Amino acid sequence: MDLKSKIRVIEGFPKEGISFKDITTLISDGDAFKEAVDIIKKNLENRNIDYIVGPEARGFLFGSAVAYALNIGFIPVRKPGKLPGETVSFEYSLEYGTDVLEICKGALKSGDRVAIVDDLLATGGTINACAKLIESQGAKVVSMQFLMELTELKGREKNKDYQIDSVLEYDI
């Protein structure tokens, strides 16, 4: 199946000059969604993964589906104040300022093997921060998996120390 044909491209959204890749058209097609999840699942088989971690919000969609397919747990990473109980935070730099990600304290332990699953690899900053948050808990990031990669933004370079797979690539 041509999965790229299942992704709607919206020019000028959310602002002029952006070519937005809308995954809602792919995930609303059961066969396409299943194929995308199956590809990521296959990329992770035989890697001895303990958990899938997905950053909010679209990482929840693909991450939880992949975790289900692999019969392992899913752990969400969220913006501050969205998770219950005690959390662990990681602050990271953006082009203009900083942002923070959180994970539930105790969700991961030393030695856990984790794959991060998200819909998009762009500049790589958020996913790199997610990896650092996971590693701060003593867990190991075994793989990063993405539905799409915007290759011109060089997110792969920022995360060169990690194993990365993308189902689809776009020049932008």
Side-chain angles (χ1 to χ4, degrees):
M1 176 182 309
D2 178 12
L3 291 178
K4 253 188 190 178
S5 72
K6 302 296 182 176
I7 295 175
R8 179 173 55 168
V9 177
I10 304 171
E11 299 298 336
F13 180 81
K15 64 181 185 176
E16 200 56 45
I18 302 290
S19 177
F20 186 79
K21 312 307 186 264
D22 180 17
I23 65 165
T24 59
T25 49
L26 182 139
I27 63 175
S28 68
D29 179 322
D31 291 333
F33 187 37
K34 182 178 184 329
E35 183 166 324
V37 169
D38 286 347
I39 290 169
I40 295 170
K41 175 190 175 208
K42 185 173 187 201
N43 289 341
L44 293 173
E45 288 177 341
N46 303 316
R47 292 196 192 211
N48 197 27
I49 306 292
D50 297 307
Y51 296 100
I52 299 294
V53 169
E56 89 175 62
R58 291 174 294 207
F60 294 0
L61 298 171
F62 285 93
S64 60
V66 171
Y68 175 82
L70 289 169
N71 195 34
I72 60 175
F74 173 80
I75 299 171
V77 168
R78 301 206 64 188
K79 300 287 186 185
K82 302 286 185 179
L83 290 170
E86 226 180 313
T87 60
V88 178
S89 300
F90 184 83
E91 184 174 338
Y92 62 104
S93 297
L94 299 170
E95 189 175 354
Y96 299 104
T98 61
D99 209 347
V100 177
L101 293 175
E102 292 184 339
I103 193 167
C104 288
K105 186 173 184 177
L108 294 169
K109 62 188 178 309
S110 183
D112 283 340
R113 295 173 53 85
V114 174
I116 302 171
V117 176
D118 203 359
D119 72 319
L120 179 68
L121 175 60
T123 63
T126 299
I127 211 70
N128 187 269
C130 193
K132 300 301 182 210
L133 181 62
I134 291 163
E135 291 166 347
S136 78
Q137 303 307 293
K140 176 177 175 51
V141 177
V142 176
S143 182
M144 294 177 169
Q145 297 287 316
F146 303 94
L147 174 65
M148 301 176 291
E149 180 177 351
L150 304 179
T151 56
E152 285 184 22
L153 297 180
K154 303 191 185 312
R156 191 177 285 262
E157 288 178 20
K158 184 172 187 76
N159 293 285
K160 67 181 184 285
D161 295 335
Y162 301 101
Q163 187 281 321
I164 297 172
D165 290 307
S166 300
V167 177
L168 305 170
E169 293 183 350
Y170 291 88
D171 291 333
I172 289 195

